[in-house]
Amino acid sequence: MNWLIIFTVVLGVLAVARLLKVMELSAALRGGDVNDITEDNNKNNALTWIVFGVLFFYAFYWQVKNYGALLLPESASEHGLKTDMLFDVSMWIITPTFFATHIFLFYYIFKYYHRKGQKATFFAHSTKLELIWTVIPTIVLTSLIVYGIGTWNEITTPAPQETMVIELYAKQYDWTARYAGKDNQLGKASFRLIDGVNALGIDVKDEAASDDKIVRGEFHIPVGKSVNFKFHSRDVIHSAYMPHFRAQMNCVPGMETMLHFVPTITTAEMRVKTGNDKFDYLLLCNKICGASHFNMQMKIVVESQEEFDKWISEKKTFAQEIAPPAPVAATVDSAAVAADSTKVDSATVKVVAQVH
Amino acid sequence: MSSHAETLDHGHHDAHGHDHEHFHDDHDHHEESFISKYVFSQDHKMISKQFLVTAVFMGILAMMMSIFFRLQLGWPGKSFPILETFLGKWAPGGVLAPDMYLALVTIHGTIMVFFVLTGGLSGTFSNLLIPFQIGARDMASGFLNMLSYWFFLLSSVIMVISLFLETGPASGGWTIYPPLSALPQAMPGSGMGMTLWLVSMAIFIVSSLLGSLNYIVTVVNLRVKGMSMTRLPLTIWAFLVTAILGVLSFPVLFAAALLLIFDRSFGTSFYLSDIYIGGQALEHTGGSPILFQHLFWFLGHPEVYIVLLPALGLTSEIISTNARKPIFGYKAMIGSILVIAFLSFIVWGHHMFITGMNPFLGSVFTFTTLLVAIPSAVKVFNYITTLWKGNIVFTPAMLFAVGLVSTFITGGLTGIILGDSALDINIHDTYFVVAHFHIVMGASAIFGMFAGVYHWFPRMYGKMMNKQLGFAHFWLTIVSVYGVFFPMHFLGLAGIPRRYYTNTEFALFDSFSDINAMISTFAILGAIAQCLFLFNFFYSIFKGAKTKHNPWNANTMEWTAPTEHIHGNWPGAIPEVHRWPYDYSKPGMPEDFVQQTVPLQNGEVESH
Ligand code: HEM
Ligand SMILES: [Cu+2]
Ligand SMILES: [Cu+2]
């Protein structure tokens, strides 16, 4: 089979080579050169450009129509509405430019293809034209820059004080989320403390660590509340990518990065909006990190405050996870307070801290 | 240096025409041997062909790799016996292994960016055209020029050898971000494969620096009488500025690579800190992986213009020649090359918007990045105006040149999206980026390179490439380029990350499997189209129809020299230059072209 293919290819190549020689000789007989560009060549290529141009525009339209529906649904975060708006405005600038320049391009190369007796116009320079097309892009781009940087500044302000803190901890090839707990403060951690049980290397002696809650597989956030993510990685660079929230941040070993946003649409609502009852928000890894980079994901659930409180209250604290089973009373106690703690206004945090 | 001596020698003979007989005797005397003519050649024409042929082979390799991984992306998990044939244990049962997927992507990118579009493109055309178009006998230093090629070949060979390692070649992406690239525990490719990658690139940088210094010195010093800077063809301006970019930025990559070598082999911690991997906490503390990214992109962004500017230079020349019209806004074209080059040094941060950089810094980089669009727009408008009221001859070279204008527009415009930090948050590292840079840099530069090969093939080999195959090659190529890369914008906007072995692990991306299959089909079509080129190229070298002198009726100096390969390019004195290179269809002239060596007629005004 393989030999047959090779044989056919070789035969084909030889045949084409013969054919080229024949064409060359017959052209020579007619007193020409095979590779002179004839008037027919010019005309046909010019026509092909027009056909190509029409197909090109049609393909653009077709893709927008068919693939447009597959894009990300509306932004599920507050700041995402702003960046989506910026995106739309930018698209409304670049798409017409794309069409206009290509229409001129295709039209001119069609209109001015070489013909006998036609002469090109000697037109080397025009200060006026050049000024026009330097100044117009400059104005358009300046506006875009001002608008773009304005949006960027709005969405990169520091997180409000009382924002709930969640750590997203990356390693090859999974994610771990750690909730700061009722004190809204993550316990200290160090890569030197990592061992089989303590996969994040959390400092057991740090008071702030005891109420932290560690979850894997999926993590929940309450709708309408600002969440402040702190990112860490223990091995290589990963990138926490939450496309539905228009959020992404690199996770860099040896350094802490941060990002905060306000989710606005619950998972249940998004299922209705997308007409897909299996829809889930996802956290993906978006920085090449090794063989299973393509499968480093975690589910995100956005739900009401009550649902969230219930969910988080069922999770064990770090202290409970590593300590031997504590007396029953204590567990109940901390669960009750934990439910409390997620009301993230600073007053509550203070009260909880006092109770603690 | 011998070639320099010879250059002077020629000059001497030229000055005394009666010495001519004697000079010829002299020449026959040391008739070049096979080795000195074809292997250790110091002649710019031969070195340029050596670069071209090496780049063609590297290009074939890189293209095959792209087909291999496109098979996996288009039909994930399906068995393709051809994969096992070529990759053996890396594609058990004909299904690509995830490690090998990343390795192929990495080496594909590395070869395309550095070996084909930097070494290959600049190496071929700077070498061929700089001496020819400025009217010089050869490069300033033939010897360094020869070394530049041999270092290039050596680095290519090392890169290819790394493919056969037990643990596979480098696999951390062409950007080789540490710690991934620094730790063999992180992926098998970061072992010996990464070491060879670094060695190969270090040698490549040496080659590039030798070449660039030579190009700069040659353009500055060896221009023939009358060839002022404002009479230089735009090709030469592009090569000159490219060489300057290379000299300023490649040493920074060299430094980055060196520090990485130290971290990998000598226990330093420039890029490493707080790492726990393979069940063990490493000793490294205090380094920063982000430092590497700053150093890398300080080269990396200028690098994209090192790739693109020569292509734009070639295209300017080809469009003007075949539109039979002067290039519109010659000085503005030079100006925009210079502005683009300058800006390219202060935009690198746009690759790092989401590394946690200070938001203020992010705004600065957004500002500088979007500025690049202004000179780019000027170039596009000038190309289009050059075509307006032209008399356009569609050689295969011209088709590719016009194709470049199209891809440069399409890809440049999406840069305006990516350069906006607020938008980059959600499309960084997605397929949108892949679409952007393949169209604006990949396709444009490759189109420029093809245009150059078709246009200057007669100058290189004294033969013509077949035009019919050239036409077919172009139309199939542009259709497949857009067929492959245009849909990728949508994949990116749907949130599909790049460098993913497959997208089947998420229900989220299920609806894209048809698109991926279609993209792969176009990729295969594109590869088949390149076979037309390869056949045409090698066939024409050996069996192609002989070219006539100056086949495209062009103005530049290289077409005033005889078609035969002679050492020193012009047999007698080098003709003096009297005008700029773009006097096409000048009113009052007998023909629609006037070569640069033709003196101004009585009463003729010199044009710029
Ligand atoms: C209109 C001007 C341009 C702008 C505004 C622009 C902007 C950008 C930006 C912001 C990125 C980073 C995307 C990300 O965050 O992932 C990028 C990536 C890239 N651009 Fe451009 N670009 C422009 C022109 C070009 C040109 C002319 C080339 C090629 C010669 C080029 C080649 C690349 C490459 C190779 C990447 C990929 C980097 C990676 O590995 O992630 N760009 N461009
Ligand atoms: Cu990862
Ligand atoms: Cu860049």
Side-chain angles (χ1 to χ4, degrees), chain B residues 168-171 176 181-182 189-199 260 264:
Chain B
S171 329
I176 57 156
S181 61
S190 294
M192 196 59 195
M194 195 62 222
T195 305
L196 288 192
W197 193 98
L198 289 166
V199 170
L260 184 53
R264 288 168 49 84

Side-chain angles (χ1 to χ4, degrees), chain A residues 216-334:
Chain A
R216 297 193 173 78
E218 66 177 61
F219 71 94
H220 293 214
I221 44 180
V223 69
K225 297 276 165 61
S226 176
V227 198
N228 191 12
F229 292 97
K230 302 198 169 183
F231 303 94
H232 293 104
S233 164
R234 70 141 88 145
D235 40 37
V236 302
I237 302 178
H238 302 268
S239 188
Y241 182 35
M242 299 174 256
H244 300 99
F245 306 100
R246 315 296 189 254
Q248 180 171 207
M249 184 52 75
N250 287 170
C251 313
V252 186
M255 161 176 164
E256 177 171 270
T257 51
M258 275 182 271
L259 173 159
H260 63 98
F261 65 77
V262 183
T264 51
I265 304 175
T266 63
T267 301
E269 284 162 355
M270 198 52 123
R271 287 184 176 168
V272 176
K273 281 179 196 279
T274 56
N276 171 4
D277 57 3
K278 300 222 172 49
F279 175 88
D280 273 318
Y281 293 117
L282 282 180
L283 162 67
L284 311 175
C285 178
N286 196 14
K287 184 62 78 187
I288 179 172
C289 63
S292 296
H293 167 53
F294 67 96
N295 193 13
M296 180 168 161
Q297 49 173 310
M298 191 172 191
K299 192 163 114 181
I300 309 172
V301 177
V302 181
E303 57 198 3
S304 67
Q305 184 73 51
E306 297 73 52
E307 290 166 306
F308 174 76
D309 291 342
K310 179 164 177 305
W311 175 81
I312 193 80
S313 68
E314 285 160 8
K315 300 290 167 197
K316 280 192 193 157
T317 62
F318 177 67
Q320 289 163 339
E321 249 182 72
I322 56 161
V328 181
T331 320
V332 171
D333 207 43
S334 82

Side-chain angles (χ1 to χ4, degrees), chain B residues 52 55-57 60 63 396 400 446 449-455 457 465-466 469-470 472-474 476-477 526-540:
Chain B
L52 180 57
V56 165
F57 277 105
I60 295 173
M63 187 183 71
F400 275 104
I446 287 277
M449 189 161 173
F450 280 135
V453 172
Y454 282 107
H455 193 79
F457 193 86
M465 286 179 78
N466 182 279
L469 288 178
H473 174 214
F474 171 72
L476 288 176
T477 302
I528 293 172
Q530 304 323 302
C531 296
L532 294 181
F533 170 78
L534 292 174
F535 172 80
N536 199 357
F537 182 74
F538 288 109
Y539 172 86
S540 304

Side-chain angles (χ1 to χ4, degrees), chain B residues 297 300-302 304-305 344 347-351 369:
Chain B
W297 288 114
H301 195 84
V304 306
Y305 292 100
S344 76
V347 300
W348 80 91
H350 64 213
H351 300 271
T369 299

Side-chain angles (χ1 to χ4, degrees), chain B residues 258-260 262-263 268-272 284 286-289 291-292:
Chain B
L258 204 62
L259 300 189
L260 184 53
F262 286 165
D263 273 8
T268 57
S269 307
F270 291 106
Y271 306 134
L272 305 177
H284 302 276
S288 163
L291 169 64
F292 176 86

